[in-house]
Amino acid sequence: MFAVRPGEFQCATGPDRLLEERFRHRQNQLRRAEALTAETPRAPLPDAGNIAIVDDSEGAVIRPNPFDLRQRTLRFTAVGATAAQYTAASDALGFDTASAERGSPLTGLQDDDSRLVRLPFNFPFYGSRYDAVHVNSDGNLTFTAPDTAISTRNLTRAVSGPPRIFPFFEDLDPGQPEAAVRFFAAPDRAVFTWDRVPQYASRGTGPRQTLQVALYPDGRIEFHY
């Protein structure tokens, strides 16, 4: 979950490059630490039949780093009048229930769909200002162009397309019953709510997701989960 424009994220070449760099850095750290403490080199582990045993003590496998955003708010605060940079912080949930209930439904929004809405103020975002935004069904906002592609929702696609704010960016289907995407506009904020929108499923109904994006005139961005 990031707020980015193309070229601003350091992993613009794709997530594989970032993983490779993290792996190399970790390997170097572990080797330096071992060189200071080890008296003899570690002998390789014997194979077990046709199974090769790999010693993971040096970080041959990078373990996942799970995190849970349920009942949390992520806040991106713009630095400077043009919002050329941001600072980020996590906080207790600040879900804007009033905006969710008073927001206008984007009627007819379907799977892989988008709607253009006018913002109640000129929103600064990475050195530019925008008076309109495309609300895409897949849990993200884009400026200057919609995104209705059906290709994989991944980091490479996110940072190589139009300027984008993406709190979720998954294949969501707001055309399902009991799902809604709403837009609330006021002079002090613009709030977008994906309310019980399920992830796409070829059969039945996928897991439902509820989240918000709030934009403020000073460039601040909040994600509510």
Side-chain angles (χ1 to χ4, degrees):
M1 288 59 63
F2 301 94
V4 302
R5 68 171 183 176
E8 288 293 333
F9 195 69
Q10 293 182 353
C11 189
T13 57
D16 292 341
R17 176 66 178 276
L18 179 60
L19 289 176
E20 179 184 350
E21 291 178 353
R22 290 180 58 192
F23 174 73
R24 291 177 185 272
H25 178 67
R26 183 178 177 187
Q27 286 288 79
N28 290 334
Q29 285 183 317
L30 290 170
R31 288 193 184 99
R32 285 196 296 268
E34 186 176 21
L36 295 175
T37 57
E39 297 180 357
T40 58
R42 184 181 292 109
L45 296 175
D47 293 345
N50 294 326
I51 301 176
I53 306 300
V54 179
D55 183 357
D56 185 34
S57 61
E58 292 188 1
V61 177
I62 297 178
R63 291 175 174 80
N65 182 26
F67 57 93
D68 191 349
L69 290 174
R70 287 176 296 181
Q71 304 298 310
R72 301 295 297 176
T73 284
L74 296 182
R75 182 173 297 105
F76 300 86
T77 302
V79 178
T82 61
Q85 292 181 317
Y86 287 84
T87 60
S90 174
D91 203 348
L93 181 64
F95 196 85
D96 192 339
T97 303
S99 295
E101 294 175 347
R102 295 164 57 191
S104 301
L106 301 183
T107 56
L109 190 69
Q110 300 295 316
D111 180 37
D112 304 321
D113 202 358
S114 182
R115 290 290 184 276
L116 178 66
V117 301
R118 293 291 170 185
L119 295 171
F121 43 79
N122 286 329
F123 178 69
F125 188 62
Y126 282 107
S128 298
R129 288 185 174 271
Y130 301 96
D131 61 1
V133 66
H134 296 270
V135 184
N136 303 312
S137 60
D138 289 341
N140 68 104
L141 309 174
T142 51
F143 301 99
T144 72
D147 186 355
T148 59
I150 63 173
S151 56
T152 303
R153 287 78 175 167
N154 56 23
L155 187 59
T156 301
R157 172 178 163 187
V159 301
S160 61
R164 187 190 310 265
I165 297 172
F166 51 111
F168 197 67
F169 202 40
E170 184 56 80
D171 191 2
L172 299 178
D173 187 1
Q176 293 296 318
E178 301 181 4
V181 179
R182 300 187 180 91
F183 169 53
F184 174 79
D188 64 336
R189 68 193 188 281
V191 182
F192 308 83
T193 304
W194 285 259
D195 184 11
R196 295 173 296 168
V197 179
Q199 294 178 236
Y200 175 81
S202 57
R203 292 184 180 180
T205 302
R208 293 184 180 270
Q209 309 294 336
T210 297
L211 60 141
Q212 278 183 335
V213 180
L215 308 182
Y216 296 87
D218 61 359
R220 181 162 38 103
I221 302 167
E222 291 181 353
F223 297 165
H224 306 305
Y225 297 97

